[in-house]
Structure formats: structure tokens, C-alpha cells
Amino acid sequence: MIDVRVQSADFDPGRQLERLRELGRGAVASLLGIAEADGDVTSIVVEHYAAMARVELGRIADEAQGRWPLSGIILIHRHGSFGLGDRILFVGAASSDHQAAAEACAYLARSVRERAPFWRKERLAGGTSRWTERLPSAARQPV
Amino acid sequence: MIDVRVQSADFDPGRQLERLRELGRGAVASLLGIAEADGDVTSIVVEHYAAMARVELGRIADEAQGRWPLSGIILIHRHGSFGLGDRILFVGAASSDHQAAAEACAYLARSVRERAPFWRKERLAGGTSRWTERLPSAARQPV
Amino acid sequence: MAIVDLVYFGSLREALGRDGERIDPPSHVLTVEDLLNWMSERGEPYRSLLSDHGRIRAAVEREHAGPGDSFFGAQEVALFPPPGAT
Amino acid sequence: MAIVDLVYFGSLREALGRDGERIDPPSHVLTVEDLLNWMSERGEPYRSLLSDHGRIRAAVEREHAGPGDSFFGAQEVALFPPPGAT
């Protein structure tokens, strides 16, 4: 089972864990991505390349399924405007093998961060905003 | 925040993710351990060394907190009798760093499996049972 | 070379002030790198924004593409900074 | 050496048919390995169950202990197969 979603609506992480548990395997690993920012950031805007986002998440899920013995994968990536603490990303993987579930989940989360076509802008208290570009050096570049 | 529990009662994984999310960091990684077995296994019994179990889980959590920048850790290990598909273990870690959350969660899950004083017996359809000893070779020894 | 729809995202879209544009590159512009060079030659703001190839990624027909990859026959090419929302 | 409460778990507890027992080992029995050897010398079922040290783990005062670790002064020593419930 592979379920990949790109949506503006919120999701229920507990419900996603339950869907993966119901597959009947011994382990469900998950990673929840949450809107976090420092200092005077008031909200976060996530922009996406709609025509590519779901396709790329599907490619990432297919790669993970080819590398680990997984019974299920769920990827949910939200776009739109977020308050701090809001859920943005859910990555989940089920397997009979605990180690496989954990490794696949880490791989999925890393691949989504590096390749899924979403971009993040921070809105600041003064009314300005800045993009988080994630350059190869991991430096953050105000624009 | 470190919360370590040894209990016979069930738990709500979604509620545990929510407690970790409320810490306000960017990532919550979790691993859910579920009763799974092959063939003619009808139920699973998890025995534990009560005087040591909570202390050992606490040691494992302390080690993880010393190695990764975590804002929260939850470990819940159940004991008693389980049907297939029942929740047995919850491991969760929150961090600003996605990679740290994922790695710490994998470390916590592996350490719990290797060191936490719990033992597993499978009850078979014919009324017999067998222990899963997890010898170093990972072979399963019927007793 | 046929007409190509260029689409922009993130800080690049905002700095260019547009979501995309239709281009008709000459026949020697074959790869992503060729495209970035050709666009840079059009002057500002392209030159400043596109000439540092390390800051710009591309997708050809909704699939990530490297500097040496061809976009021959593609209808849609996307340019954007390195992605990542979480 | 003082009196020690031995406690058993898992398949070892079941095979021995008891949760534990109180022992009074002689003064030369200092380490976990000494203890396993001394218990094995008591005959069956100990010999069969305890003489393969690779199959038996120990905890001294509720903390994992290796074969060479002393249990001097301990009130409780646990013996069990390698743990793992999930």
C-alpha cells in the first residue's frame, strides 16, 4: 500500500499510524514535520509546484519500497499558510522488520526534504518575509 | 521531557505524537511495535522483570538524550497477553533537527529491543507455546 | 527548438516577479546549463538570478534535471532554488 | 559471601519451574561466570540450562552485567535468556 497526498487540509497523525498498524506488520515508523521557526517569525508559507509534487512523492515512495521490505507507505505534504506548531508533513512506513521501517522512514523524510518541490517562506512580525532556500551549504539566505 | 512507562494498559499513539508535537520543535519521530507472528500463533505473552524494566528504559532514554539534541522522549512498553495486531511498544522523540529525531528514535527502538527486560512467548493453536529467545544469531528457539 | 513553458518557484519566482513565461530558445540551447546561460544573456534580472548555477535547480517535464540534462522536446521546464519546506 | 536472591525470567524461569531461589554461594564465587559455573555443578536441570553461557544473560541489582562482572554485595541477581519482546 502506497498512499501519497499533497493537500492544504490538516491531517490526523494518529489516524495515519492506525492505517499502517492495520496492515498487521510488526513495526510502524513515522516522522511528523512541524512548522518551527526562530525569533520574530509569525507564520510560514509553503509554496509548491502542483504539477510535480505528487509525482515526485510517488517516485520517492517507489524507491523506498524497492529498497526495504515494506507493507505500507504514507506520505502527506501540506501547502499553504501555517502557524508555528502546525503539522506540515507526515511520513510513515510499516514493515515486519523494525530496522527496515525505521531506516525507510528516515530515507523517505530526507528525500522529501531534499527533492519534493516545496519552498518555505517565513513571515516576520514587521510585515516583511524571507525565503528559506536550503542551499547546499544548508545556509539560509534572506531574499 | 522524558516520559517512560511500563504498563499492561493500551495506549493511544496519536495522543503520544500530540504530546511530543506540543513541545514546539520541528520534528517528531516515532516507532510503534505491534504483535505480529507467523502461522498458527493465536496470541503473544510478554513477561517482564518489573523491578528492572522502568529503570532500564530510563537509562536508554538518558543515553539518547546525551547523544542527540532532543526536546522530548516517550517510551511505553506494555506487558501481558496480546492478540495479533495489538500495540506493544511506543518510542517517540522530538527535536528541531529531523535527522536527530529519526536517528534517536531508531537508537531508542533498537536499544529497547536488545536490552529492556521483556520476554515473548507465542501461544499456538494446539494449546502449546514457545518462547522467542532472540539468541545472538537471531534464531528462534522453541522450548 | 520548439516553444517551451518556463515556470518559476519560490524566491526565484518572487524575484523575477512572474510565475513563468513562454520562451523560444535557439537550436544550440540544448541542456539545462545552456538554458541558464542563454537566459542570463538576456540581462537583468536574469543575469543576477540565474548566472550562479549552484543556486538554481531545474525540472524537465516535472522531473529533476541536472545541468547537463537535455530538455529537447520538453513542453515544461521549471527553475527554482533548492526545495525543502520542513 | 552473603545470601543472594536469584530471580529467573522467560524460558529459563519456565524450564527451571520456579521464579527464583535464595542461594549462599561460597566465597570464591565472585563473578557472573563463577555463579553460572557453580550453579551448573549443582546438577540437572541447572547443568543443561546454565552451562552454555552464550544463552544466558544476567543483571546485578537490576543492571545488565557481563560474565566477568562481580556480584559482590548484591542482594538480587537475575538470570534470563536474551531479552526482546517486539
Side-chain angles (χ1 to χ4, degrees), chain B residues 104-140:
Chain B
C105 182
Y107 172 84
L108 288 163
R110 194 170 58 246
S111 299
V112 167
R113 300 187 79 201
E114 291 174 355
R115 292 166 40 189
F118 294 81
W119 297 269
R120 180 181 189 271
K121 183 156 92 171
E122 297 177 338
R123 293 197 188 283
L124 305 176
T128 58
S129 63
R130 65 180 174 223
W131 290 90
T132 307
E133 291 204 6
R134 301 195 172 278
L135 297 174
S137 67
R140 296 186 173 192

Side-chain angles (χ1 to χ4, degrees), chain A residues 46-49 51-52 56 59 77 88-89 113-121 131-136 143, chain C residues 7-15 54-55 57 59 61-64 76-78 80-86:
Chain A
V46 173
E47 172 175 326
H48 75 305
Y49 181 4
M52 177 176 170
E56 187 67 15
R59 280 191 279 257
H77 205 313
I88 296 180
L89 171 68
R113 299 187 80 202
E114 291 174 355
R115 291 167 40 189
F118 294 81
W119 297 269
R120 179 181 190 270
K121 183 155 95 169
W131 291 90
T132 307
E133 291 204 7
R134 300 194 173 278
L135 298 175
V143 170
Chain C
V7 289
Y8 305 123
F9 292 96
S11 57
L12 181 63
R13 175 188 57 72
E14 198 167 86
R55 292 191 61 187
R57 306 285 175 85
E61 301 293 39
R62 300 161 201 84
E63 191 159 357
H64 286 293
E76 184 170 298
V77 174
F80 42 78
T86 58

Side-chain angles (χ1 to χ4, degrees), chain D:
Chain D
M1 212 63 182
I3 300 250
V4 175
D5 282 319
L6 265 185
V7 289
Y8 305 124
F9 292 96
S11 57
L12 180 63
R13 175 187 58 70
E14 197 168 86
L16 289 171
R18 49 167 71 183
D19 293 343
E21 58 193 297
R22 186 156 287 186
I23 57 169
D24 186 7
S27 61
H28 68 274
V29 175
L30 294 168
T31 67
V32 168
E33 188 163 25
D34 294 342
L35 176 64
L36 293 175
N37 288 332
W38 178 71
M39 294 289 289
S40 296
E41 287 162 10
R42 294 168 67 181
E44 296 300 343
Y46 299 103
R47 185 187 310 278
S48 303
L49 293 166
L50 301 181
S51 58
D52 181 359
H53 296 185
R55 293 191 60 188
I56 300 298
R57 305 287 174 84
V60 174
E61 302 291 40
R62 301 161 200 85
E63 192 159 355
H64 286 293
D69 288 337
S70 166
F71 63 102
F72 181 80
Q75 294 187 306
E76 185 170 298
V77 173
L79 299 178
F80 43 78
T86 58

